[in-house]
Amino acid sequence: MTILQILWFVVIAVLFAGFLFFEGFDFGAGMATRLLANNDSERQTILRSIAPHWDGNEVWLITAGGAMFASFPLWYASLFSGYYILLFLTLIALIFRGVSFEFTAHAQNAFQRSLWLWTNFIGSVSAPFLLGMLLTSMMQGVPMDAQGNVWAGFFVVVNWLSVVGGLAVAYLSLIHGLHFISLKTKNSLHNRAINMADKLYWLVYPVLVIFALLAIFQTDFFTKHLMTSLFIVILLVLATLLGHLAIHYGHNAYAFSASGLSLILVIAFIFNGIFPRVMVSNNGKHDLLISTASASSLTLEIMTGVLAVLLPIVLIYSAWSYWIQRKKFVDIK
Amino acid sequence: MITLAMNVISLSRFQFAMTTLFHFLYVPLSIGFGLMVAIMETIYVKTKNPVYLKMTKFWSKIFLLSFAVGVVTGIIQEFQFGMNWSNYSRFMGDIFGAPLAIEALLAFFLESTMLGVWMFTWDRFKPAVHAIFMWLTWLGSALSALWILAANSFMQHPTGFMINTKTGHVKLTDFWSVISNEQLWYQFPHVIFGAFTTAAMVVAGMSAFGLIWKQNHEFHLKSLRLGLIVGLIFAVATIAAGDLQTRYIIKDQPMKFAATEGIYKNTTSPASWQAVALIDTKNEKVDQSIEVPYLLSLLSYHKLSGSVTGMTKVNKELHAKYDKKFGKNMNYYVPVKTLFWSFRIMAGGGSLIALVCVLGLFFSRKKKNTLLEKKWLLWVLALTTFLPFIVNSCGWLITELGRYPWVVYGLQTIADAVSPTSTVGGLLFTNIVYFLLFAALGAFMFYYARKTLKDGPDHLEKTEIYDDDSAVDPLDQEVFNK
């Protein structure tokens, strides 16, 4: 393993974490259009708060995919072909969700409008759930052959660990989204978002605990990386607790940071656990390793240069775009 | 026949072709529309004429629709390499992934962030500053075209690599040579100018519909003329770039070129051009054709002499070159008829667009505008809305089918590129779902674009009710009209 290979393993983790941090809250806001909003105008207010940003947020996923292709082509090939149907369903969810923003604005009657609002909701629920399933099901070792082909049958994809993992990501996204709404709105929606998140936390703890327990029994994370895995799990629980306390005592910005951190820690837990592998095989023989799955050192060097120049620029103008649109929204009376 | 076609390779190919062609209806449209809207807003900044502000807002509705559908289908495209073509990804990853990642980092972030800023900050910036955001959006989309074509160009003409003897995979040796690939610099101008033409003609064509429906006269006439001017400039530029590209293809991929002209035997010098031909692919000959003397030499070499190598000879050469590596049983003939007719539709359609632009501009000139009396011309202009899409699709058919049987020219065949884990059942299912999805997205996009045009530009003002952004329908165009 070279330093560049480890760096790119971390970069892929950071990109997935960035995706969950950013797109997580707009998934959550999409879920809130049905779970929190009481009427059409509240739905509009929620959608308005994420409308300028969701597209840029989704680019994190596109970048993660592209960067994985560039830095670990063998990982990209095995993961994407092996999890074919799950990725396919995720794509369908993202497509429906993506067009719904624009199509809602063009809807000609109440029926079409509600069609696209529901589309947005269903996409916002299923995308984080399916992605959570994908990320967590590959923790436990998948059937792979010597060429790195993954033969992921139904029960490899759908099992207790992956379902609970999917739920965890979806719940955390919802809470993250509610925190975002509490920051972007005033009055009724603002208050109800805080209340709802405060109560929902009680549901998140058991999901996280079951997830950690399943991870102990279904994966080798705690045998291979006992200390770091434990450390991250404790951080995850602490971050969630912190978010809960913060929202309970009205520190909305802290709560938002804490829920974002929880999502980042889920990714950290997975990437820490699979290290130094990128894909874990169920027989232990055909693991894809960081050292063998990566692109050539020249490609990694070039990509490192590109990343070092472009990522700071991207972060600066993304931050700027949030800053200039920081105004809070009040619902239509 | 049907059972024969139902294998993993053909279903994967069908899926890729379907996704690419559908995606590529919206990509040129949104790249071009970014330019059109940026030009409109810039003219508004310069002239302060409110009709240009109205134009900016009205046409950006169509732009946003095309952008939405283009974005979501683009994600499929990126994931498909890994999902359906995993052996290709393993083989090519060292080179193909980098442009994709750079595209995301350099172009997509810029494009989508700036568009988000542009849409919702009408009241926050001076018009001149606000226009910059659209230019940046457009720049992002143009840059993404550059990088995706860099990746495609490697597949057409691999450079800057070696084969890793241990893994058998492509290994990057010279990144500069991947970017300075000749194929790219012949392909990029042709594609990007074609994209500008596409949106310009959609603006012009839809304005013609507006004029036929007797909507806001000044608005549509100004839009029409702007569309025609931009359309003419870039239609000519596209043809010129295509001409350069063709002359490069003659050298670089002679099979592709010979197929677009339906030439089996080497031509005489000077060579005559077959305008139409009945091609017998089984017996490898042309049954009947209508020919124009000298024209093929003129088109190929820009002079009145010179023969063109036919497919039979190219086939022999390819066998001599690649038999050791790929075996004697390879079939190097590309789908001749499809290429032959695609080329004619592309080149003919492109020329027709330029001609329509000239006619439209001539009859709508300021001194003597008789366009409205010429109902036939208005209808021709209106119908031209659809032509660029057919032309663009044919262009891609030539480019992509023309490198058959390889996915990476001379290095990897299509059969070797496919995912070993794919199944007929899975592919059948996803093909059907994608097909229904694309049909639905296309239908809604068309329906909403048509509806927007039917409502007309004056509809904008009627719905302009808002008091600050505290109390507005978030996604309604009302906010946006601010």
Side-chain angles (χ1 to χ4, degrees), chain A residues 266-278:
Chain A
V266 171
I267 296 293
F269 179 69
I270 296 168
F271 277 71
N272 171 67
I274 60 174
F275 184 87
R277 305 156 292 185
V278 288

Side-chain angles (χ1 to χ4, degrees), chain A residues 44 48 55 58 62-63 66 76 78 80-81 84 105-106 108 112 116 148-150 295-296 299 302 317 324 330, chain B residues 15 64 67 75-76 78 82-84 90 94 97 109-110 112 120 124 175 420-421 447-448 451 470 474-475:
Chain A
Q44 289 164 9
R48 172 64 181 89
D55 196 12
E58 202 163 280
I62 298 173
T63 311
Y76 169 85
S78 300
F80 280 43
S81 65
Y84 192 92
H106 284 265
Q108 296 299 323
Q112 283 181 16
W116 296 120
N149 293 310
V150 173
S296 70
T299 301
I302 289 161
Y317 67 60
I324 56 158
V330 186
Chain B
Q15 186 165 116
L64 291 172
F67 184 83
I75 308 180
I76 309 181
E78 190 205 16
M83 290 168 78
N84 290 2
R90 289 189 180 103
D94 207 40
F109 269 121
L110 184 68
S112 47
F120 296 100
R124 227 151 297 175
F175 189 63
T421 46
Y447 169 72
Y448 286 138
K451 186 72 190 162
S470 53
L475 287 172

Side-chain angles (χ1 to χ4, degrees), chain B residues 120-371:
Chain B
F120 296 100
T121 58
W122 285 92
D123 56 341
R124 227 151 297 175
F125 293 96
K126 279 187 212 152
V129 178
H130 192 257
I132 292 173
F133 301 140
M134 182 46 74
W135 282 107
L136 287 172
T137 305
W138 169 76
L139 178 70
S141 65
L143 283 174
S144 88
L146 177 68
W147 285 97
I148 198 68
L149 290 179
N152 182 272
S153 294
F154 184 89
M155 295 163 77
Q156 304 283 346
H157 180 92
T159 56
F161 73 99
M162 56 176 260
I163 300 288
N164 183 334
T165 44
K166 233 173 38 196
T167 56
H169 297 160
V170 163
K171 187 169 178 290
L172 179 68
T173 56
D174 182 1
F175 189 63
W176 177 244
S177 137
V178 172
I179 303 174
S180 60
N181 190 344
E182 268 194 284
Q183 168 76 31
L184 171 64
W185 295 103
Y186 283 110
Q187 194 179 16
F188 179 64
H190 186 58
V191 172
I192 200 94
F193 294 156
F196 300 159
T197 314
T198 302
M201 292 321 288
V202 169
V203 170
M206 287 177 74
S207 304
F209 274 115
L211 288 173
I212 290 169
W213 294 334
K214 298 197 167 54
Q215 288 180 349
N216 186 326
H217 200 256
E218 188 202 1
F219 179 91
H220 281 306
L221 203 63
K222 278 206 152 59
S223 299
L224 179 96
R225 282 192 53 92
L226 183 64
L228 291 179
I229 290 167
V230 177
L232 180 61
I233 293 170
F234 287 111
V236 173
T238 312
I239 293 168
D243 176 58
L244 289 176
Q245 197 188 0
T246 307
R247 290 167 69 202
Y248 169 75
I249 297 289
I250 296 173
K251 287 185 292 174
D252 194 53
Q253 295 175 326
M255 180 61 91
K256 184 188 274 180
F257 178 72
T260 56
E261 294 300 344
I263 301 164
Y264 279 101
K265 284 184 208 143
N266 294 0
T267 65
T268 51
S269 168
S272 49
W273 183 67
Q274 312 182 92
V276 289
L278 288 177
I279 299 167
D280 180 357
T281 47
K282 231 180 213 162
N283 299 311
E284 300 183 7
K285 64 186 175 68
V286 176
D287 284 339
Q288 275 175 327
S289 62
I290 300 172
E291 301 190 4
V292 186
Y294 294 106
L295 193 55
L296 186 60
S297 294
L298 199 64
L299 289 173
S300 315
Y301 307 112
H302 291 193
K303 55 184 188 183
L304 288 174
S305 63
S307 72
V308 173
T309 318
M311 282 180 278
T312 317
K313 180 154 183 241
V314 179
N315 182 43
K316 272 191 197 137
E317 287 170 0
L318 289 172
H319 270 291
K321 196 171 171 190
Y322 292 112
D323 273 3
K324 246 191 201 163
K325 197 164 157 199
F326 293 102
K328 286 193 169 65
N329 293 330
M330 289 290 290
N331 171 22
Y332 291 113
Y333 285 107
V334 298
V336 180
K337 282 185 194 169
T338 315
L339 260 65
F340 182 82
W341 291 110
S342 295
F343 186 80
R344 265 136 201 83
I345 296 170
M346 179 185 78
S351 313
L352 193 63
I353 288 172
L355 179 72
V356 169
C357 288
V358 171
L359 284 177
L361 284 172
F362 179 78
F363 287 111
S364 66
R365 65 191 187 280
K366 282 210 177 99
K367 282 191 182 151
K368 198 179 165 204
N369 185 349
T370 55
L371 183 68

Side-chain angles (χ1 to χ4, degrees), chain A residues 3 12 16 35 43 54-55 64 74 77 107 152 190 205-206 208-209 211 216 244 252 263 292 297 308 318 325 327-328:
Chain A
I3 291 176
I12 302 295
F16 272 106
L35 302 175
R43 267 172 218 126
W54 75 269
D55 196 12
L74 302 190
H190 166 84
Y205 296 123
L208 288 181
V209 169
F211 177 68
I216 291 173
H244 197 173
N252 303 335
L263 283 164
T292 51
S297 50
S318 299
Q325 305 188 66
K327 213 166 188 176
K328 294 187 183 207

Side-chain angles (χ1 to χ4, degrees), chain A residues 270-287:
Chain A
I270 296 168
F271 277 71
N272 171 67
I274 60 174
F275 184 87
R277 305 156 292 185
V278 288
M279 288 288 282
V280 184
S281 68
N282 60 356
N283 58 13
K285 272 189 290 189
H286 297 140
D287 292 347

